[in-house]
Amino acid sequence: MSIIYADNNATTQVAPEVVEAMLPFLTADYFNPSSMYEPARHTADAIKEAREAVARYFKLTDPNTILFTSCASESNNAAIFGAVKANPNRRHVITTAVEHPAILGVCKELEREGCDVTFLDVDAQGNLDIGEFVRALRHDTLLVTVMHANNETGVIFPIEQLSRLTKETDPAIIFHTDATQSVGKVPIDLRRELQYVDLLSFSGHKVHAPKGVGALYLKRGTRCRPFLIGGHQEEGRRAGTENVPYIVGLAKALQLADEGLNDENTRVLGLRDRLEKAIEEKVPYIEINGRGAPRLPNTLNVSCHCVEGESLLTQMDAHGICASSGSACTSGSLEPSHVLRAMKIPETAVQGSIRFSFSRYNTDADMDRIIEAFPEMVANVRRISPYWDQEKNAPRLG
Ligand code: PLP
C-alpha cells in the first residue's frame, strides 16, 4: 500500500531538483567557502548566488539582508534574543497565544529574564482583534513577534496591517514575523506589502528543502545583536561554517516555489476544498477550524466531536494516511492543542482534531482515498466512545 502524505506542515518531501542542486556540494565541491584558494571561491560563489535567489523570492534588492541559519527555531531565537539584547532600555514584548513553541518558549524565557510579555488572544475563527493589538502597544514596547500563518489551522494573520500600525505608533518598535508556514504557500513581498517587517524567520524543510537549514531576514538598520557568536561568517552576524549544500538546496526550493506559487497553490487549494466539502457532507458533528478566517491553501484542520484524535490517527496510519493531531512538535503528548484551546473549540471536539496539510506532490487520487476511508474511521472511533450516543447517532447530552 502506498502512503498518502498529508502532513506537509510538519515537514515536506525534498524535491528531486533540490537534491540534484545540492549533490555537487556534498561531493566534489566540499571546500570551506572562507578559504582563500580557487576551488573554495566556487563554493563561496554558490552561497552568494543562493543568497541572491532567496532575496529575489522576497522581492528584496539587498541580498545581504538574508542570513542563513540551521532552522526556523534558530532564526526565531536569533531574532528575539538579538532584539532584546540590543535594546536594553525597553522590556515589553507583544506576541500571540497561538504561536509555535519556537516563539512561545522564547517568550516564556524572556519573562524569566524580566521582560513583560503580552500574549494576545484570538477569536473562535483564530483571528486577532486589531483594536486589542493597537491597545497593547506601549511606550516601552521593544518587539512585536506575530506569526504569518498558523501551523495548526493555517489561519493567516494580517502582517501588512499589524506591521504598519506598529511603525505608525512608534517606528522604534521592532516587528518580527515567523513565516515558517507561509513561505512557499502565499506571496511575500518584503519591499512593498511587508516593507514594515524588520525580521522574518523561516525554514527549508517546510518548502521541499532538507531539514537543517533556515534563514532570517534582517532589515538593514534593525537593532539586533548576533545570537551565535564566533567566526566572522554572515558579516559577523551568525558564526559557523556555512552549510553550503543545504543553503544551495534552500535557494533551489524557493526558486521552485516561486515558479509554481500561483498554479500549484491554486491546485492544492482545490484538493483541500474538495476534501473539506466531502468531510462536511459525510461526517456529522464536526468543526472546520479557522474556516471564517483567511487560511493557507494547503491546510485543513477538522475537529470531530466525541473522537479521540490519537485513535483516529492510529486508524489513519493503518490505512497509510499520514496526518497530524496537532503541530509536529506537540504531538506525542495528549495535551489538547494550545491553538485550538485559544480558539475555544467546544470541549467535546478539542481532543478530536486532525490536521491535513498538502503539498504539490498530493493528487486527486489521494483525496479519493481519504474521502473513502475517513468517515468510516470516525464512525469506528465513535462506536467505542462513551460520549457518543449509538442509538441517536449523535453526541450524548448531559
Ligand atoms: N515556526 C512554525 C510556525 C513552525 O510551524 C515550525 C515547525 O513546525 C517552526 C517554527 C520550527 O521550525 P524548525 O523545525 O525549522 O525549527
Side-chain angles (χ1 to χ4, degrees):
M1 176 177 54
S2 61
I3 68 155
I4 295 174
Y5 188 68
D7 202 14
N8 287 273
N9 288 7
T11 199
T12 56
Q13 175 189 334
V14 180
E17 298 91 331
V18 168
V19 176
E20 197 186 325
M22 290 171 63
L23 270 178
F25 300 95
L26 287 164
T27 51
D29 283 328
Y30 54 81
F31 307 98
N32 187 322
S34 297
S35 297
M36 298 306 287
Y37 29 82
E38 180 55 33
R41 234 158 274 149
H42 181 232
T43 323
D45 284 347
I47 295 183
K48 182 168 173 284
E49 282 163 27
R51 205 184 303 281
E52 287 165 359
V54 174
R56 250 192 325 274
Y57 176 85
F58 293 105
K59 315 280 185 248
L60 292 163
T61 48
D62 180 1
N64 290 328
T65 53
I66 300 294
L67 305 190
F68 291 113
T69 65
S70 63
C71 58
S73 299
E74 184 196 321
S75 302
N76 286 340
N77 274 262
I80 298 176
F81 285 126
V84 169
K85 217 168 18 152
N87 299 276
N89 297 331
R90 295 186 178 209
R91 305 301 285 168
H92 179 232
V93 173
I94 298 174
T95 188
T96 80
V98 296
E99 299 291 312
H100 187 274
I103 294 289
L104 289 179
V106 176
C107 287
K108 299 259 164 68
E109 185 60 24
L110 290 185
E111 285 188 316
R112 282 189 282 274
E113 291 176 8
C115 283
D116 187 9
V117 183
T118 301
F119 295 89
L120 294 171
D121 249 321
V122 293
D123 66 15
Q125 305 303 327
N127 286 310
L128 283 174
D129 180 325
I130 303 296
E132 203 178 303
F133 174 81
V134 172
R135 283 190 294 279
L137 294 165
R138 301 192 326 211
H139 68 282
D140 64 337
T141 304
L142 97 90
L143 174 76
V144 172
T145 174
V146 173
M147 71 199 317
H148 194 188
N150 190 276
N151 44 298
E152 293 190 33
T153 58
V155 169
I156 299 172
F157 283 150
I159 295 301
E160 178 182 359
Q161 187 183 13
L162 299 176
S163 57
R164 189 169 31 78
L165 286 168
T166 301
K167 295 293 176 179
E168 279 170 5
T169 305
D170 180 355
I173 300 174
I174 297 171
F175 194 99
H176 169 249
T177 186
D178 176 356
T180 307
Q181 292 295 346
S182 56
V183 169
K185 297 171 193 158
V186 293
I188 301 180
D189 186 333
L190 285 169
R191 216 180 43 193
R192 289 193 216 292
E193 288 88 357
L194 299 192
Q195 62 181 292
Y196 297 115
V197 169
D198 299 303
L199 296 155
L200 177 144
S201 310
F202 69 99
S203 192
H205 72 104
K206 312 285 186 184
V207 282
H208 305 290
K211 294 153 202 61
V213 65
L216 175 66
Y217 161 67
L218 173 55
K219 187 192 269 174
R220 290 271 178 212
T222 305
R223 287 162 59 86
C224 187
R225 297 287 306 150
F227 180 63
L228 273 191
I229 296 167
H232 57 270
Q233 293 89 353
E234 305 290 282
E235 295 186 346
R237 297 170 299 177
R238 196 270 187 184
T241 302
E242 298 89 339
N243 188 351
V244 186
Y246 284 59
I247 288 171
V248 169
L250 175 62
K252 183 69 187 177
L254 287 189
Q255 187 201 322
L256 294 171
D258 210 10
E259 285 164 8
L261 199 59
N262 292 330
D263 294 354
E264 277 307 321
N265 284 306
T266 307
R267 194 184 65 80
V268 168
L269 175 67
L271 298 180
R272 194 277 306 270
D273 285 350
R274 194 182 141 218
L275 177 63
E276 183 171 312
K277 190 158 171 282
I279 289 180
E280 258 195 315
E281 282 168 9
K282 290 171 191 276
V283 186
Y285 298 101
I286 58 158
E287 313 280 336
I288 306 285
N289 299 315
R291 180 156 57 182
R295 261 185 311 162
L296 291 176
N298 79 322
T299 307
L300 170 58
N301 189 309
V302 52
S303 289
C304 307
H305 287 261
C306 308
V307 161
E308 217 261 294
E310 306 293 316
S311 311
L312 197 49
L313 276 188
T314 309
Q315 293 227 5
M316 288 165 61
D317 190 20
H319 280 76
I321 302 169
C322 309
S324 169
S325 65
S327 86
C329 313
T330 52
S331 65
S333 84
L334 286 174
E335 270 297 294
S337 133
H338 69 285
V339 176
L340 300 183
R341 276 256 182 260
M343 290 165 72
K344 302 191 177 58
I345 302 303
E347 202 54 39
T348 52
V350 74
Q351 295 278 6
S353 301
I354 295 291
R355 178 190 68 187
F356 296 98
S357 50
F358 301 109
S359 80
R360 62 171 176 269
Y361 296 119
N362 286 108
T363 61
D364 262 313
D366 292 346
M367 299 309 116
D368 293 342
R369 250 175 75 190
I370 301 175
I371 291 167
E372 199 188 317
F374 190 72
E376 185 55 33
M377 290 188 278
V378 175
N380 286 344
V381 177
R382 281 176 172 163
R383 225 164 271 141
I384 51 166
S385 166
Y387 305 107
W388 188 255
D389 188 327
Q390 310 298 342
E391 308 265 296
K392 298 201 180 100
N393 209 21
R396 209 179 274 287
L397 296 175

